[in-house]
Amino acid sequence: MEILKEISKLLSGVREKKPLIHNITNYVTVNDCANIILALGGSPVMADDIDEVEEMTSIASSLVINIGTLNSRTIEPMIRAGKKANEAGIPVIFDPVGIGATTLRTKTAERLINEVKFSVIRGNMSEIKILAGIDARIKGVDSTEGTHGGEEIALSLAMRLGSVIAITGAKDIISDGKRLCTIENGHKMLSMVTGTGCMSTCLIGTYSGVTNDYYLSAAAGILTMGLAGEKAYKSLRKGEGTGTFRMRLFDSIYNLSEGDIMEGGRVYEKQD
Amino acid sequence: MEILKEISKLLSGVREKKPLIHNITNYVTVNDCANIILALGGSPVMADDIDEVEEMTSIASSLVINIGTLNSRTIEPMIRAGKKANEAGIPVIFDPVGIGATTLRTKTAERLINEVKFSVIRGNMSEIKILAGIDARIKGVDSTEGTHGGEEIALSLAMRLGSVIAITGAKDIISDGKRLCTIENGHKMLSMVTGTGCMSTCLIGTYSGVTNDYYLSAAAGILTMGLAGEKAYKSLRKGEGTGTFRMRLFDSIYNLSEGDIMEGGRVYEKQD
Amino acid sequence: MEILKEISKLLSGVREKKPLIHNITNYVTVNDCANIILALGGSPVMADDIDEVEEMTSIASSLVINIGTLNSRTIEPMIRAGKKANEAGIPVIFDPVGIGATTLRTKTAERLINEVKFSVIRGNMSEIKILAGIDARIKGVDSTEGTHGGEEIALSLAMRLGSVIAITGAKDIISDGKRLCTIENGHKMLSMVTGTGCMSTCLIGTYSGVTNDYYLSAAAGILTMGLAGEKAYKSLRKGEGTGTFRMRLFDSIYNLSEGDIMEGGRVYEKQD
């Protein structure tokens, strides 16, 4: 598949250029986010104070905004960093964690989308449906919605917002409003480790630091996590579980090769 | 033992119902807390902003409050979420980390206890003694007190506060003011990994999401961590230490079976 | 080597006395910091609220200040805790993470150095050069400077500030303004795991809790991380990477023996 070759090139690009990725994120999964960026070959930096976010963003190759533990202190920094990135032509990736679970999250996500132009928005089906204004439910930060209708939602929301939309779940769906692909890699154990969604968003952010094609970097990030999940699961022996699985995600991404992508990638592009 | 059968049923209950557990907790062990809830079968959510805690609590099956890195921004949210849970009949679990080490912690714990009705309070011997108003010392967040006299303290404090009191240490003690049991599972290496206390509290919170008998859910949470510690320790090979041990805790809880509880549980209920 | 014997004694000292180490640190690597202190044999406590830092510092054996995710809420607590430690004769260790990346970090580091007397300052070459007022660049929190000229910089900055200066990188350099040593342990994979710098600073803090010779405790902390990195790397099998490596750091430090230090330590003291 042509797209797998393109993704393989992005992987080499990350390892050569070691892009600096600025994260304004939650305190639950932040350590995993930093380590997953490092495992792929990027250089993470976390900074969220209003007095430094713009300066930090302006030296970065991409900016990742994640509202997983949203608080009033960091909303303004998110907006400022996002605007700065927009001015400077630096891609901004958005993870609307738990949108719909509370009014604060929904309103903040809406404000962010109104004030910042995002290159990619990644969420689970509940999050993306709620973002699209479709009636949907969410259980804390976990999706309760199936993927039915996801392709149409991704396509139309991407067109409306001018952002790549990436929906992750049993089947992943990515669209930039024109192109659309589905990814069938991954393993259900990924949903039993906290932060695999946040980490996928960080992988997208890292790939976005070395290309201008954010449809491709979104697919690359999600495929990378899917392949890592498969390899981590296969490595498990009797008595091992989510603890070992989680560690192996980092091992797998650290060792990810172009061959793994070419042989293991199950990315299906829709033909018009 | 009858209680082991009851605990086994709670385990099945968690895996069937996947209760949503809302945590207002510290930034040191928060990732481990989320992963331990997931490993048991629950669904964790962390939210601490004053503008969303009540909404988040009202959709949860239980609320866990932990003052491990207490700060002025999150005290009020703890109180509000706790009151909301009380109104809605959602159990609230309290971990008074480091009470007695500073005036702020002691006063905040007292305020919480005055304003919120807790279903379970879990701490080490120093923490529970200080909470009970007994002269005791604490070294940061580590206990310096033996378990001597613990049964009487747990019993009388539980009666006074109307909360289940769970004291963890070499021997664990749980009482609801009428019933009392001790648990002799666990391993001393648990004290060489940060957050095993916080994680025990989260396990109690998760079990509390599927029962109204909080004496039972407290025993279940503490037994689960004890069994995990034993299994994790037994798995260690030459050269392995606290890093591998910590990872195996998650593996063990993910793989915990009713058989493990029935065969390995050493829970002793006191007869009147 | 004489210094290895001294470092071995410090290791025994930590395991006997279990010093309490108070950390005001970042939310990215805080869990690793706590676990590395425990693995060595110390007792960590994290507290950053202005209403409790002085009280917490006064019961600690050392204080570690780290500006990795600096925010306006915690600058004042850092200063207050530092001053309290100075008054009480408790050593204070400083990790100027990302100084030079933003004005906020640079100005805060300068303010801290003006108001608090540090026993040890540890950073990478970029950070220490910027601290010394030498023209240098930094990429987020990663050094972009080689170790050339490092010995002179460490020596003169140590003399000027009256603090031990520890520069970590491919070759580590430690000086108190009179004595100087280099350490050639470690492995480059340490730079692909977040927080290995922060953890080194915490190890220095832990050793500083049991001696008054902070040149020695700085060398001990850095040597400990270097030896752990070597052992962790050697343990890796096919398919393993930074995930397993990170876990093995804790295993290695938990199992660190005086023999490991005596046989593996490559610490070179400069003769005048």
Side-chain angles (χ1 to χ4, degrees), chain A residues 3 6-7 10-11 14 40 62 91-94 118-123 128 154 158 163-168 172-177 179-183 185 196-197 199-227 267 269:
Chain A
I3 195 168
E6 296 296 322
I7 290 172
L10 285 193
L11 177 64
V14 166
L40 187 64
S62 74
V92 192
I93 322 302
F94 182 39
F118 291 106
S119 300
V120 186
I121 302 173
R122 189 216 62 83
I128 297 298
S163 304
V164 174
I165 299 297
I167 305 173
T168 50
D172 308 309
I173 303 162
I174 295 125
S175 178
D176 65 355
R179 293 171 289 176
L180 186 142
C181 68
T182 60
I183 304 184
N185 293 94
T196 52
M199 288 188 259
S200 296
T201 304
C202 288
L203 292 172
I204 294 171
T206 309
Y207 284 118
S208 297
V210 298
T211 181
N212 293 317
D213 184 347
Y214 306 122
Y215 166 76
L216 194 64
S217 57
I222 289 168
L223 174 61
T224 297
M225 185 53 89
L227 289 169
V267 181
E269 289 201 276

Side-chain angles (χ1 to χ4, degrees), chain B residues 27-30 32 67-73 98 100-105 138-142 189 191-195 233 237-247, chain C residues 17-20 23-27 30-32 34-35 38-49 51-53 55-56 59 73 237 246-248 250-252 254-255:
Chain B
Y27 61 84
V28 183
T29 66
V30 59
D32 291 335
I67 61 168
T69 50
L70 192 58
N71 73 71
S72 46
R73 185 181 68 78
T102 67
T103 310
L104 178 69
R105 292 187 191 225
I138 191 160
K139 183 179 173 186
V141 298
D142 294 329
M189 201 181 258
S191 68
M192 294 197 66
V193 171
T194 194
Y233 181 75
R237 290 169 303 185
K238 197 170 173 299
E240 295 182 339
T242 46
T244 301
F245 176 80
R246 173 173 171 272
M247 178 184 73
Chain C
K17 293 178 191 164
K18 298 186 182 302
L20 181 66
N23 297 266
I24 304 180
T25 190
N26 69 76
Y27 61 84
V30 59
N31 183 270
D32 291 334
N35 273 322
L38 282 162
L40 188 64
S43 174
V45 70
M46 278 62 185
D48 63 19
D49 193 81
D51 288 337
E52 72 168 354
V53 287
E55 227 177 323
M56 196 64 93
I59 58 166
R73 186 181 67 79
R237 291 169 302 184
R246 173 173 171 273
M247 178 185 72
R248 296 268 180 242
F250 298 95
D251 285 351
S252 300
Y254 174 79
N255 285 305

Side-chain angles (χ1 to χ4, degrees), chain C residues 7 150 220 236 247 249:
Chain C
I7 289 173
L236 296 184
M247 178 185 72
L249 293 176

Side-chain angles (χ1 to χ4, degrees), chain C residues 98-266:
Chain C
I99 181 177
T102 66
T103 310
L104 178 69
R105 291 187 191 225
T106 308
K107 286 208 174 307
T108 303
E110 283 167 1
R111 194 179 155 204
L112 280 162
I113 282 170
N114 285 333
E115 302 200 27
V116 176
K117 163 88 179 191
F118 291 105
S119 299
V120 186
I121 302 173
R122 189 214 63 83
N124 60 38
M125 185 55 82
S126 286
E127 289 161 347
I128 297 298
K129 276 191 169 177
I130 290 160
L131 202 67
I134 296 166
D135 188 44
R137 302 198 62 187
I138 190 160
K139 183 179 172 186
V141 299
D142 294 329
S143 182
T144 57
E145 304 280 327
T147 55
H148 182 70
E151 299 190 11
E152 293 69 26
I153 292 166
L155 203 59
S156 65
L157 187 61
M159 257 190 293
R160 174 144 61 94
L161 298 179
S163 304
V164 173
I165 300 296
I167 304 173
T168 50
K171 183 175 79 170
D172 308 309
I173 303 162
I174 295 126
S175 178
D176 65 354
K178 283 194 270 186
R179 294 171 289 177
L180 186 142
C181 68
T182 59
I183 303 184
E184 298 189 4
N185 293 94
H187 189 275
K188 65 180 176 186
M189 201 181 257
L190 285 166
S191 68
M192 293 198 66
V193 172
T194 194
T196 52
C198 306
M199 287 188 260
S200 296
T201 304
C202 287
L203 292 172
I204 294 172
T206 310
Y207 283 118
S208 297
V210 298
T211 181
N212 293 317
D213 184 347
Y214 305 121
Y215 166 76
L216 193 64
S217 58
I222 289 169
L223 174 62
T224 297
M225 185 54 87
L227 289 169
E230 291 174 9
K231 209 181 227 180
Y233 182 75
K234 270 180 216 147
S235 79
L236 296 184
R237 291 169 302 184
K238 197 171 173 299
E240 294 182 340
T242 45
T244 301
F245 177 81
R246 173 173 171 273
M247 178 185 72
R248 296 268 180 242
L249 293 176
F250 298 95
D251 285 351
S252 300
I253 290 176
Y254 174 79
N255 285 305
L256 184 70
S257 70
E258 297 187 21
D260 293 331
I261 290 169
M262 295 307 294
E263 287 156 33
R266 295 200 298 279

Side-chain angles (χ1 to χ4, degrees), chain A residues 27-30 32 67-73 98 100-105 138-142 189 191-195 233 237-247, chain B residues 17-20 23-27 30-32 34-35 38-49 51-53 55-56 59 73 237 246-248 250-252 254-255:
Chain A
Y27 62 83
V28 183
T29 66
V30 59
D32 292 335
I67 61 168
T69 51
L70 192 59
N71 73 70
S72 46
R73 186 181 67 77
T102 67
T103 310
L104 178 68
R105 294 189 189 222
I138 191 161
K139 184 179 172 187
V141 299
D142 294 329
M189 203 183 253
S191 68
M192 293 197 67
V193 172
T194 193
Y233 182 74
R237 288 169 304 185
K238 197 171 174 299
E240 295 181 340
T242 46
T244 301
F245 177 79
R246 174 174 170 271
M247 178 184 73
Chain B
K17 293 178 192 165
K18 298 186 182 301
L20 181 66
N23 297 266
I24 304 179
T25 189
N26 69 75
Y27 61 84
V30 59
N31 183 270
D32 291 335
N35 273 321
L38 283 162
L40 188 63
S43 174
V45 71
M46 277 64 184
D48 63 18
D49 194 81
D51 289 336
E52 71 169 355
V53 287
E55 226 177 324
M56 196 64 94
I59 59 165
R73 185 181 68 78
R237 290 169 303 185
R246 173 173 171 272
M247 178 184 73
R248 297 269 179 239
F250 299 94
D251 286 350
S252 300
Y254 174 80
N255 286 305

